[in-house]
Amino acid sequence: MSGRAQLMWDEAVTGYDFGSGHPMDPVRLALTMRLVEAFELDRGPLEVVAAKPAGDSTLRLVHREDYIAAVRRASADPAAADLSYGLGTADDPAFAGMHEASALIAGQSVGAAEAVWRGDAAHAVNFAGGLHHGMPGGASGFCIYNDASLAIARLLELGAERVAYVDVDVHHGDGVQATFWEDPRVLTISLHEHPRTLFPQTGWPEETGGEGAEGTAANVALPAGTGDEGWLRAFHAVVPELLAAFRPQVIVTQHGADTHFEDPLAHLAVSLDAQRAVAEACHDLAHQYADGRWVALGGGGYAVVDVVPRSWTHLAAIAAGRPIDPAAMVPEHWRHEVFRRTRQLAPHRMTDGRTPQWRDFVDDGYDPADRLDQAVLATRRAVFPSHGLLP
């Protein structure tokens, strides 16, 4: 296996644009790539690769043919968007070229999966991806084609027998869970804000997989307001033990940056520094349990200047084996670029100034009166016995 890391990037992914005023502003992708370049990660440690758009045969690995046809129609004529497929809604407005932009993003994730499986790269990152709400037959939650599901489906097509998917976006990874609900080859783990308080109102701990795949879906429903300590505690209380028991050949992770305390669409209180710590943990877990095979995707994140570019640049740097010191200054020319594009002031450092700490759930014991610990225990009780683990 190559020790190199690939960053999947084609400037045309910024064409995934729902229009002015929509939270999913493609400037977040452009600014992230410019920050990657400002730290010169693209000059050696990362091989920047542009994959082809996903063709219909690839899209059909996950999506229904009638849905793909509906996306194509809306892409050619946004006025023809069919609401029955979730197209033309406030969350997923139709726009010209929608099919092409969505298929291009999906192609980058599929290309990342192929590179890692074939040994062309140890790690591959597509921060434009992670569109985890897309369903086999419909758009949902800013997501048209589900590139995460497509990457996993391609891995299975190539011969993978066990793929683990770890989703730390603030929203439940419902589309990926739904796609593989009855497939015992895929373990989906999602840590997200509790469905009582956030879209898509799914991801309860009792959702553990369909018939023949019991225990292959794990959901940690975190109380609104959860910060660094609780978020990291929950991650480490669930993810490593399940990965050790499942023994994945590849790990696919989704790093939505919308867990951040500045994100306008959700209610967790996680810092950039904790997001970086989880990216490092995912990297380490891939080496520990999957021979280093790691596909890392982006996802949500709507603080498009202050949070998303820094979070995903850290992710890319970790994958490249050249992590950025959190105390590092943000390059001044990038800050000028931010102001030129957005008229917003950019952050000065690659940190929120936090040093995240967490207590181990097993070693330090749990508090039955604590809502975070109740959430963790509910997940462990629901899923761990299926893997021969003690809750």
Side-chain angles (χ1 to χ4, degrees):
M1 178 186 295
S2 167
R4 290 181 64 80
Q6 287 189 358
L7 176 63
M8 314 304 295
W9 177 255
D10 183 320
E11 205 74 32
V13 297
T14 60
Y16 191 83
D17 187 353
F18 289 115
S20 176
H22 193 282
M24 188 79 121
D25 188 336
V27 76
R28 68 199 194 119
L29 303 179
L31 291 178
T32 300
M33 190 61 195
R34 301 292 85 81
L35 188 56
V36 165
E37 293 165 347
F39 277 105
E40 300 186 349
L41 295 173
D42 59 324
R43 299 186 187 179
L46 276 176
E47 180 186 7
V48 179
V49 177
K52 295 178 181 178
D56 280 13
S57 62
T58 298
L59 294 173
R60 285 197 299 267
L61 292 174
V62 168
H63 294 290
R64 295 200 322 249
E65 197 161 355
D66 60 312
Y67 173 57
I68 299 168
V71 175
R72 282 187 177 278
R73 288 194 299 272
S75 183
D77 178 9
D82 189 336
L83 289 170
S84 69
Y85 290 104
L87 301 169
T89 64
D91 275 2
D92 298 284
F95 61 92
M98 180 167 62
H99 166 78
E100 290 75 13
S102 302
L104 182 62
I105 290 174
Q108 305 315 303
S109 293
V110 170
E114 291 173 343
V116 167
W117 182 254
R118 291 172 175 160
D120 297 336
H123 314 319
V125 178
N126 177 26
F127 57 73
L131 304 178
H132 59 168
H133 297 307
M135 291 292 176
S140 177
F142 312 163
C143 305
I144 308 301
Y145 295 139
N146 192 321
D147 65 284
S149 291
L150 287 162
I152 295 167
R154 179 62 174 143
L155 288 166
L156 298 175
E157 188 178 49
L158 291 171
E161 296 173 350
R162 293 178 308 282
V163 180
Y165 172 74
V166 180
D167 187 321
V168 297
D169 192 287
V170 79
H171 302 92
H172 177 225
D174 58 339
V176 184
Q177 176 179 287
T179 299
F180 301 105
W181 184 248
E182 296 180 340
D183 193 332
R185 298 173 297 173
V186 180
L187 170 68
T188 64
I189 308 173
S190 179
L191 288 84
H192 47 265
E193 184 179 327
H194 201 287
R196 273 196 298 262
T197 54
L198 195 66
F199 174 90
Q201 283 80 50
T202 58
W204 299 79
E206 297 79 15
E207 297 171 30
T208 59
E211 186 175 353
E214 294 84 358
T216 59
N219 289 290
V220 188
L222 301 167
T226 296
D228 289 358
E229 180 181 354
W231 194 61
L232 293 171
R233 178 171 168 84
F235 179 92
H236 289 283
V238 172
V239 177
E241 286 182 74
L242 286 178
L243 293 181
F246 188 69
R247 299 178 297 111
Q249 294 160 300
V250 189
I251 295 177
V252 179
T253 57
Q254 196 269 21
H255 298 265
D258 43 10
T259 51
H260 196 271
F261 55 76
E262 286 187 10
D263 197 89
L265 299 190
H267 318 97
L268 295 191
V270 173
S271 71
L272 180 76
D273 303 286
Q275 291 176 344
R276 180 181 181 276
V278 159
E280 287 186 323
C282 289
H283 172 252
D284 293 345
L285 290 166
H287 280 283
Q288 193 168 354
Y289 297 119
D291 293 324
R293 294 188 191 94
W294 181 33
V295 176
L297 309 174
Y302 309 101
V304 299
V305 168
D306 282 353
V307 179
V308 174
R310 292 187 297 162
S311 187
W312 291 347
T313 299
H314 275 305
L315 175 67
I318 289 163
R322 205 178 89 186
I324 296 169
D325 183 345
M329 296 294 293
V330 172
E332 187 174 2
H333 63 278
W334 182 79
R335 295 177 54 241
H336 288 310
E337 176 73 0
V338 167
F339 188 77
R340 184 184 72 81
R341 284 177 175 256
T342 69
R343 290 298 183 261
Q344 295 183 45
L345 297 177
H348 285 260
R349 292 187 182 272
M350 291 295 287
T351 179
D352 285 333
R354 308 283 179 87
T355 306
Q357 305 287 332
W358 54 275
R359 295 177 300 110
D360 186 87
F361 188 84
V362 175
D363 292 346
D364 293 344
Y366 64 91
D367 179 356
D370 182 83
R371 289 196 304 149
L372 186 281
D373 283 4
Q374 290 170 3
V376 169
L377 190 57
T379 302
R380 289 173 63 104
R381 282 176 171 164
V383 177
F384 274 35
S386 296
H387 297 270
L389 300 171
L390 293 174

